[in-house]
């Protein structure tokens, strides 16, 4: 039996847990067409929480409604690549030879500079208008998804925002969905590079409820005839803390252990699977999350790791020798980066499972 779990970034899981209804507004927008609020959406959340998977789900919905989809990651030059995607779509849709020959946008020889050359911007818009016009005539439209806007070039994103705004003003059927870390998104919206994006719907992704993880595991394992007790299923589900990447890792290693043990799982197998998952999660998520923070941020996190549960600002301030206003500055920054979260009454706790254990070791 093929292992159904997908512990890989961006891979669609066998069961999309805890996300029911989140894309309803977007889907409604597709039926309304140009200018509908749900057609402008921003998905935020910590690493491994399922942003890329949500983008794929939105793309899938768009396709089933007959909309064309362009899907890009916000690497330098992504705007030109979207231009090329639009040309390709025009080619596929257009019956009859194109009215005018437009050369590719990204091959125009501006290699290392990231932005679309100024003189190509009108071409880009005209290509977009032509494509959107054709799609509108068919009663559909175009959805553009942009993943990982963390490191995005500001000029490029503001260019895209103003182009999309231009299309909307003309009543053309366009949708735009972004995904990124909370910090990147709040910076982007606060800097005023793309004021128009402040209107976007926000979907902030959280962990799934443990009960939903339990139900999903029970269903997947029993459907495959794997013999495992309800207590062990619950134990495994609790180890995931509802965190999507861990849900996939734990499921994957449980399946692997079951395969080795003749499609049955005992306490030892479950423990092995949980340990293997935590090790892999640390490697992939925790180390990458810590790779781009400052020393002071790290000291803040180390102070938190000394506590067994949530930490107060006073505890942290004392440990790092900082005044409350400084503590509050780092607190906000780490919350925005998706590393910690507010835990009520001025307390904070870790937002990534395994982070505390990692910092302690
Ligand atoms: N709702 C969900 N239920 C179960 N697993 C999920 C869910 N969303 C995402 N995953 C899994 O979590 C992992 C991370 O998803 P991904 O979309 O790459 O996260 P992000 O883009 O936020 O870093 C993948 O292995 C994916 O299969
Ligand atoms: Mg992602």
């Amino acid at each position: 039996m093929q292992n159904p779990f997908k512990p890989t970034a961006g891979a669609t899981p066998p069961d999309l847990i805890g996300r029911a209804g989140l894309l309803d507004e977007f889907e409604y927008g597709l039926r309304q067409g140009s200018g509908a609020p749900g057609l402008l959406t921003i998905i935020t959340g910590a690493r491994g929480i399922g942003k890329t998977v949500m983008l794929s789900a939105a793309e899938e919905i768009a396709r089933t409604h007959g909309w064309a989809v362009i899907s890009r990651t916000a690497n330098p030059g992504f705007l030109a690549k979207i231009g090329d995607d639009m040309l390709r779509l025009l080619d596929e849709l257009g019956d009859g030879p194109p009215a005018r020959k437009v050369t590719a946008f990204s091959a125009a020889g501006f290699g290392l500079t990231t932005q679309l050359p100024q003189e190509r911007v009108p071409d880009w818009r005209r290509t977009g208008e032509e494509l959107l016009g054709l799609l509108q005539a068919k009663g559909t439209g175009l959805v553009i998804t942009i993943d990982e806007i963390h490191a995005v070039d500001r000029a490029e994103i503001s260019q895209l925002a103003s182009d999309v705004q231009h299309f909307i003003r003309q009543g053309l059927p366009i949708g735009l969905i972004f995904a990124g870390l909370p910090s990147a998104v709040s910076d982007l919206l606060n800097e005023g590079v793309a004021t128009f994006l402040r209107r976007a719907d926000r979907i902030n992704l959280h962990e799934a409820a443990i009960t939903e993880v339990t139900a999903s595991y029970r269903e997947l394992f029993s459907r495959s005839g794997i013999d495992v007790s309800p207590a062990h299923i619950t134990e495994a589900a609790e180890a995931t803390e509802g965190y999507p990447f861990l849900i996939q890792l734990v499921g994957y290693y449980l399946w692997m252990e079951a395969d080795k043990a003749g499609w049955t799982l005992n306490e030892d197998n479950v423990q092995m699977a949980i340990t293997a998952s935590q090790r892999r999660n640390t490697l992939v998520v925790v180390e990458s999350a810590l790779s781009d923070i400052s020393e002071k941020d790290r000291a803040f996190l180390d102070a938190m790791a000394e506590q067994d549960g949530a930490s107060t600002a006073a505890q942290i301030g004392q440990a790092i020798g900082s005044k409350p206003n400084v503590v509050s500055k780092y607190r906000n920054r780490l919350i925005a980066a998706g590393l910690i979260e507010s835990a009520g009454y001025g307390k904070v706790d870790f937002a990534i499972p395994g982070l505390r254990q990692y910092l302690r070791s």
Side-chain angles (χ1 to χ4, degrees):
M1 282 191 293
Q2 184 91 17
N3 196 322
F5 293 95
K6 302 278 183 240
T8 308
T12 295
D15 185 11
L16 203 57
I17 305 172
R19 301 293 184 240
L22 287 184
L23 291 171
D24 285 358
E25 188 97 357
F26 169 71
E27 184 159 17
Y28 183 72
L30 291 171
R31 283 187 266 128
Q32 303 309 308
S34 183
L39 290 182
L40 191 58
T41 293
I42 301 184
I43 298 170
T44 54
R47 288 179 177 79
I49 205 77
K51 298 180 294 300
T52 303
V53 163
M54 282 296 275
L55 283 182
S56 304
E59 289 162 14
E60 198 51 43
I61 292 173
R63 287 197 188 94
T64 56
H65 284 263
W67 285 51
V69 172
I70 289 176
S71 162
R72 285 284 168 189
T73 297
N75 296 321
F78 76 90
L79 199 51
K81 298 219 180 69
I82 291 175
D84 291 343
D85 294 336
M86 293 194 302
L87 282 175
R88 226 178 347 261
L89 284 168
L90 258 181
D91 236 23
E92 286 169 21
L93 282 170
D95 30 27
R100 169 182 51 75
K101 186 81 194 139
V102 182
T103 51
F105 290 95
S106 59
F110 53 97
L112 289 177
T113 64
T114 62
Q115 288 175 54
L116 202 58
Q118 211 47 49
E119 68 274 15
R120 295 304 306 279
V121 173
D123 284 342
W124 196 101
R125 280 201 181 179
R126 220 175 313 127
T127 303
E129 284 167 12
E130 201 174 326
L131 175 63
L132 290 167
L134 277 179
L135 290 166
Q136 190 169 37
K138 298 187 353 154
T140 66
L142 171 71
V143 167
I144 299 177
T145 69
I146 314 222
D147 201 0
E148 301 194 13
I149 56 170
H150 341 301
V152 73
D153 179 282
R154 294 304 193 240
E156 224 174 337
I157 202 79
S158 85
Q159 180 65 56
L160 175 71
S162 80
D163 291 333
V164 167
Q165 192 172 17
H166 168 82
F167 295 146
I168 292 173
R169 276 206 208 103
Q170 290 184 308
L172 292 169
I174 182 133
L176 184 62
I177 311 192
F178 288 102
L181 295 175
S183 59
V185 172
S186 36
D187 287 356
L188 197 69
L189 299 182
N190 292 337
E191 281 169 17
V193 277
T195 342
F196 143 82
L197 295 178
R198 290 199 192 147
R199 268 193 248 149
D201 266 2
R202 292 284 286 270
I203 299 179
N204 194 22
L205 298 179
H206 295 285
E207 297 86 342
I210 305 295
T211 50
E212 288 189 80
V213 181
T214 309
S216 174
Y217 278 169
R218 194 188 301 125
E219 160 71 18
L220 280 163
F221 285 104
S222 78
R223 201 200 301 154
S224 313
I226 292 171
D227 181 30
V228 49
S229 76
H232 285 140
I233 294 261
T234 306
E235 184 184 356
E238 277 168 358
T240 69
E241 299 178 41
Y243 187 70
F245 187 49
L246 267 174
I247 297 173
Q248 297 310 309
L249 280 172
V250 169
Y252 186 84
Y253 285 113
L254 282 175
W255 192 279
M256 198 168 109
E257 291 300 320
D259 194 349
K260 282 193 264 181
W263 303 112
T264 177
L265 286 165
N266 62 22
E267 177 61 24
D268 282 350
N269 307 139
V270 172
Q271 278 309 320
M272 292 265 278
I274 291 174
T275 308
S277 309
Q278 284 165 346
R279 201 175 300 132
R280 178 113 197 116
N281 176 63
T282 302
L283 212 67
V284 177
V285 181
V286 176
E287 288 183 356
S288 101
L290 290 177
S291 68
D292 48 25
I293 65 167
S294 74
E295 266 175 45
K296 196 79 183 179
D297 289 330
R298 178 62 189 253
F300 188 113
L301 296 175
D302 284 336
M304 282 177 62
E306 285 169 22
Q307 312 296 324
D308 282 328
S311 308
T312 64
Q315 285 167 332
I316 297 163
Q318 197 166 26
I320 65 173
S322 295
K323 294 204 181 72
N325 61 329
V326 178
V327 171
S328 140
K329 189 181 115 200
Y330 286 105
R331 172 184 184 275
N332 292 341
R333 215 163 67 182
L334 289 166
I335 288 178
L339 285 161
I340 67 174
E341 58 197 8
S342 156
Y345 308 111
K347 291 184 173 179
V348 286
D349 207 345
F350 293 106
I352 299 180
L355 187 49
R356 186 192 315 274
Q357 292 86 325
Y358 182 87
L359 291 165
R360 282 180 175 179
S361 64

